[in-house]
Amino acid sequence: MHPVSLHADEVYASAQSAAASSPVVASWRRCMVMHHLAPEQERAPERLTDIEFRQTRQASERLIVEAREEMDKLFSTVGRSGCCLLLTDRNGVALERRGTAGDDRAFHDLGLWTAAIWTEASIGTNGIGTALADERAVSIFRDQHFFSANTGLSCTTAPIRDHRGEVAAALDISTCRDDVNEMMLSILSQTVRDAALRIELNLFRSAFPGARFLMVPQAAHAAAALLAVDRNDLVIGATRAARLALALDDSRIAAGIPAADALDENRAGDRQDLVEAERAALMRALSRANGNVSQAAIALGMSRATLHRKMNRFGLH
């Protein structure tokens, strides 16, 4: 039997089986039931017009800026091994691409190019579309793709979330190499997830200029769990990991929650907060003055004698 027919038969059989419950099979079912696709179809991804693409890129300008350096670093690592990188928006539109000239023809023919739409509705089960649909990192290895025409492709994708924890984009590594195995794809998967997280944190920091950023130590993935805190120690933003760890949502953040309360730090109350704040202010002034009490007193707008009294009260020597 022809390989195309074999693959199509497998997709039909698996998707129609009540016992099959893997994420890939769930995607195959969506492709047939929701999107009315057939695995034996030959089709390329849908594409935006030039005007639509320019408008889409303009709407994602901050994402592109924050992702550019990470994409360049990632491509310097995996590009020579025959891999192509795509950055898409939340709608699966390829905004940015990295690839070597020698591989461009193959990737262009598959539609791994800017302005292409890599949703499940457009091109069936694939790394980008399935990662966006499931809101999680996904690897699709060769015949796990829905369409028979894409079974020579292997791809691994990680979603990128915005400052509110919502999926805003996806970062994908794809390859057509015959010698790629699932172990190699697993390594590429971790690489793309790390890069996506760095882009996510870049987006988060740029959304809160002038804020302080605190790591949430009790989170499962502390590096991804950040709070943005204003000058009054109120939480003004939280990454998805921080929201999950601290049970935060937009309404709690908008209501104004002190970072100490969000982190459940043991405090003696507002009076103790004021005492600690005064002590910290004195220590900062003395540090900036290199321990010169007279200079610190001038910076604080008080007399040298007053500063000495406060230093004695707080045990600052």
Side-chain angles (χ1 to χ4, degrees):
M1 187 178 290
H2 195 277
V4 171
S5 300
L6 283 173
H7 176 71
D9 288 346
E10 181 185 353
V11 172
Y12 283 124
S14 298
Q16 292 169 2
S17 171
S21 59
S22 75
V24 170
V25 173
S27 173
W28 288 352
R29 286 175 177 158
R30 287 195 298 268
C31 292
M32 289 192 290
V33 176
M34 294 176 57
H35 308 308
H36 309 292
L37 303 176
E40 67 272 16
Q41 287 178 294
E42 292 189 11
R43 58 186 288 170
E46 298 170 5
R47 290 182 57 84
L48 298 183
T49 65
D50 290 343
I51 294 175
E52 290 172 334
F53 182 56
R54 283 197 298 271
Q55 293 171 341
T56 300
R57 276 185 60 89
Q58 288 173 359
S60 300
E61 184 175 358
R62 189 164 68 89
L63 166 66
I64 293 170
V65 169
E66 298 299 339
R68 187 166 290 146
E69 184 176 351
E70 289 300 333
M71 287 191 71
D72 290 340
K73 290 179 181 177
L74 181 59
F75 184 68
S76 69
T77 302
V78 304
R80 292 183 180 178
S81 61
C83 292
C84 163
L85 303 185
L86 284 185
L87 173 73
T88 78
D89 66 6
R90 61 170 56 102
N91 299 314
V93 177
L95 304 169
E96 286 275 300
R97 179 186 177 276
R98 301 289 187 276
T100 59
D103 298 321
D104 280 354
R105 178 65 181 272
F107 288 128
H108 185 272
D109 290 346
L110 284 167
L112 286 160
W113 214 259
T114 51
I117 304 173
W118 277 85
T119 58
E120 287 185 340
S122 169
I123 195 64
T125 302
N126 68 89
I128 295 167
T130 305
L132 291 173
D134 289 347
E135 297 192 0
R136 64 179 182 85
V138 167
S139 293
I140 303 296
F141 183 66
R142 291 182 181 159
D143 59 4
Q144 292 177 333
H145 285 84
F146 182 78
F147 285 123
S148 302
N150 289 335
T151 54
L153 180 66
S154 296
C155 50
T156 182
T157 312
I160 298 169
R161 295 182 180 272
D162 63 16
H163 63 284
R164 295 178 59 235
E166 303 294 331
V167 172
L171 183 64
D172 173 79
I173 301 176
S174 291
T175 179
C176 299
R177 285 180 55 159
D178 294 333
D179 58 348
V180 171
N181 54 37
E182 293 188 67
M183 182 176 292
M184 186 180 299
L185 196 63
S186 178
I187 296 171
L188 291 175
S189 175
Q190 185 60 56
T191 303
V192 79
R193 279 182 286 171
D194 291 343
L197 175 59
R198 290 191 292 270
I199 295 170
E200 192 170 300
L201 295 179
N202 288 346
L203 284 171
F204 184 73
R205 294 187 184 97
S206 69
F208 301 101
R212 291 189 300 119
F213 297 98
L214 305 179
M215 188 178 292
V216 180
Q218 58 265 52
H221 190 354
L226 295 184
L227 297 177
V229 180
D230 69 9
R231 60 186 301 175
N232 298 313
D233 198 45
L234 297 179
V235 175
I236 56 176
T239 62
R240 177 172 172 78
R243 288 168 182 252
L244 292 174
L246 303 176
L248 293 175
D249 56 23
D250 287 347
S251 60
R252 286 195 71 195
I253 293 172
I257 178 173
D261 292 357
L263 295 170
D264 197 25
E265 294 177 344
N266 293 322
R267 293 294 185 97
D270 291 341
R271 180 177 177 80
Q272 184 63 30
D273 287 346
L274 289 173
V275 171
E276 291 182 4
E278 185 177 10
R279 186 177 191 277
L282 297 181
M283 292 180 66
R284 286 195 299 271
L286 288 165
S287 176
R288 289 166 182 159
N290 294 320
N292 187 307
V293 177
S294 297
Q295 289 182 14
I298 293 171
L300 291 167
M302 62 179 67
S303 68
R304 191 172 187 276
T306 299
L307 178 54
H308 268 297
R309 284 197 298 273
K310 290 181 178 291
M311 290 171 62
N312 289 332
R313 177 154 59 92
F314 289 117
L316 300 177
H317 301 292

